[in-house]
Amino acid sequence: ISSFKGFMAEFRKGFHYIRAEKGLLIITVYFFVSTLTNIGMDTLWIPYFESVPTLGIMAYSYATAINVAGRLVGGGLQYRLALPAKKKFAIAMSVYVLSCIINGSVLFLPFILMVIFFFVDGFLSVISFNVRLSTTQSYVPEEYRGRFNGCFQMVCNAGMIVGQLLAGALAKSYSCRAIIIVLMGTNLIAALAIMYRGRRHVMPIFNRDV
């Protein structure tokens, strides 16, 4: 009980810190929505590929492997080429928007273009992930870093659970394509209404040399 009370006390401290830091609050709220929609989308990939006779599980395996390859290439490139600090927010925002467009349209493409889109999405997503991770860790003071990470991860985990449940429930009544379009549309609106609208508070966090 005492350890649980200690955990809750530390969690509250992290929550209050995020609430007091408007830029971190905006990032956390957006990533709740982003995680919810992206995990909801991921939940529907296998049912969609299984439902299309010309695709199937093997096609899904190839597509996900290509996506991972894109992440490896993107991570390797970013390791060698440092992003300009003043452009990091613009790069991250561009990735958020492009990812929504790519993922919202990929299921309407022939398989060869689908694979290309999967690669591009993997390439871009790892860059935006590294921007968010490295800059927030640099921005948050060391004494609050663990508390921030714990609260942020818990919010993202909540988004993950809600996204899986929502996608599963909707899939009983609607097509996977339609659900993914709505999820990516929601993600796009959140990127513009939350991150871009709050850019004055987020840019000092993202546009940092680390």
Side-chain angles (χ1 to χ4, degrees):
I1 296 175
S2 60
S3 60
F4 178 75
K5 287 183 177 179
F7 167 78
M8 290 305 299
E10 292 300 314
F11 180 80
R12 282 193 294 270
K13 288 179 183 178
F15 176 77
H16 290 312
Y17 173 72
I18 292 175
R19 192 170 64 175
E21 287 279 349
K22 195 161 186 179
L24 293 177
L25 179 61
I26 290 168
I27 293 169
T28 302
V29 171
Y30 169 68
F31 271 88
F32 168 78
V33 179
S34 179
T35 303
L36 187 158
T37 55
N38 280 302
I39 292 298
M41 175 188 67
D42 291 344
T43 303
L44 300 174
W45 286 132
I46 291 179
Y48 175 79
F49 275 81
E50 282 184 328
S51 68
V52 179
T54 56
L55 295 176
I57 291 299
M58 284 304 296
Y60 171 77
S61 301
Y62 292 141
T64 52
I66 290 295
N67 184 261
V68 172
R71 292 173 185 268
L72 292 173
V73 173
L77 185 64
Q78 190 176 4
Y79 178 77
R80 293 177 175 275
L81 301 175
L83 298 176
K86 292 183 179 181
K87 298 292 184 181
K88 286 182 179 179
F89 176 79
I91 291 170
M93 272 303 308
S94 298
V95 171
Y96 300 151
V97 172
L98 283 172
S99 290
C100 293
I101 295 171
I102 288 172
N103 288 314
S105 60
V106 68
L107 296 185
F108 295 89
L109 302 173
F111 184 65
I112 185 62
L113 290 179
M114 190 184 291
V115 167
I116 293 171
F117 270 41
F118 267 96
F119 178 87
V120 173
D121 180 66
F123 178 86
L124 293 176
S125 62
V126 74
I127 292 176
S128 67
F129 173 81
N130 288 336
V131 168
R132 194 274 305 167
L133 181 64
S134 62
T135 55
T136 53
Q137 296 308 296
S138 171
Y139 178 81
V140 177
E142 186 175 352
E143 62 269 24
Y144 279 97
R145 201 168 294 156
R147 295 163 182 160
F148 166 75
N149 289 336
C151 289
F152 183 86
Q153 196 58 53
M154 186 169 289
V155 168
C156 289
N157 287 341
M160 186 183 302
I161 294 169
V162 173
Q164 289 175 328
L165 292 174
L166 182 63
L170 290 174
K172 294 182 179 180
S173 303
Y174 303 98
S175 71
C176 294
R177 278 178 171 176
I179 298 168
I180 289 174
I181 288 175
V182 171
L183 289 173
M184 290 301 100
T186 302
N187 196 343
L188 178 60
I189 292 170
L192 298 174
I194 299 173
M195 286 291 279
Y196 186 73
R197 187 179 178 186
R199 62 191 180 280
R200 181 168 62 91
H201 303 285
V202 178
M203 287 175 71
I205 300 175
F206 274 19
N207 292 350
R208 300 170 62 84
D209 278 316
V210 293

